[in-house]
């Protein structure tokens, strides 16, 4: 895939000595099995089991996790999760990146560098997250979404979604 600019990508940065413990308690996937430099599918569910946030959860190392949201608003998710931090030595910050589609990086691999740039292996392509600035290419964004659809990768629609994990095939994706 040639380099194209995608729409903004909503993310949550979870950092601190208790970041993993906090994520394990809040998210549906097995965060304990997430290796540094890798990502996994994950979801945040409400008390009724409905998906509030769908994400690629990446371990950036240095007690930092990055949740790349698959739909939804980062600030809304941050505010919701912040209620559960309690005494944990962890913080949750909303981050907006510019998404850049590029050639393949090995599947589920994460590469974070000092320039605040993060690359995720994304199937047969890669997603590079950078500081926002360059306008998105709508045609390329549609092609990116089509590739996600063909891969069976769900995106939460805008608004108050009421999906249960089976409706989004989260078990198939390994997010439960």
């Amino acid at each position: 895939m040639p380099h194209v600019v995608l729409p903004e990508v909503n993310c949550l940065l979870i950092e601190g000595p208790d970041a993993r413990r906090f994520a394990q308690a809040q998210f549906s996937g097995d965060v304990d099995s997430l290796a540094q430099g890798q990502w996994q599918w994950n979801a945040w569910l409400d008390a009724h089991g409905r998906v509030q946030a769908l994400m690629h959860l990446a371990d950036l190392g240095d007690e930092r996790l990055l949740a790349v949201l698959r739909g939804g608003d980062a600030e809304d998710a941050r505010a919701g999760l912040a209620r559960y931090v309690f005494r944990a030595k962890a913080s949750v910050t909303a981050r907006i990146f510019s998404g850049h589609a590029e050639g393949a990086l090995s599947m589920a691999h994460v590469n974070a560098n000092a320039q605040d740039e993060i690359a995720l292996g994304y199937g047969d392509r890669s997603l590079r997250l950078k500081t926002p600035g360059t306008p998105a290419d709508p045609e390329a964004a549609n092609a990116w979404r089509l590739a996600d659809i063909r891969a069976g990768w769900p995106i939460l629609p805008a608004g108050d979604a009421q999906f249960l994990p089976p409706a989004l095939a989260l078990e198939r994706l390994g997010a439960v």
Side-chain angles (χ1 to χ4, degrees), residues 8 17 26-28 82 91 96 100 110 117 146 155 163:
E8 290 182 333
Q26 293 301 314
F27 301 149
S28 63
S91 64
I96 306 295
H100 297 259
V110 178
E117 228 178 74
L146 180 59
I155 297 174
F163 295 104

Side-chain angles (χ1 to χ4, degrees), residues 12-19 22 63-65 78 81-82 85 88-94:
L12 298 173
L13 182 63
I14 305 166
E15 52 191 341
D18 294 337
F22 173 76
E63 300 175 336
R64 298 180 309 145
L65 300 173
R78 185 215 58 80
L81 280 167
V85 173
K89 292 177 183 157
S91 64
V92 182
T93 309

Side-chain angles (χ1 to χ4, degrees), residues 165-166 168-176:
L168 299 172
L170 296 189
E171 185 173 358
R172 178 184 59 82
L173 295 171
V176 292

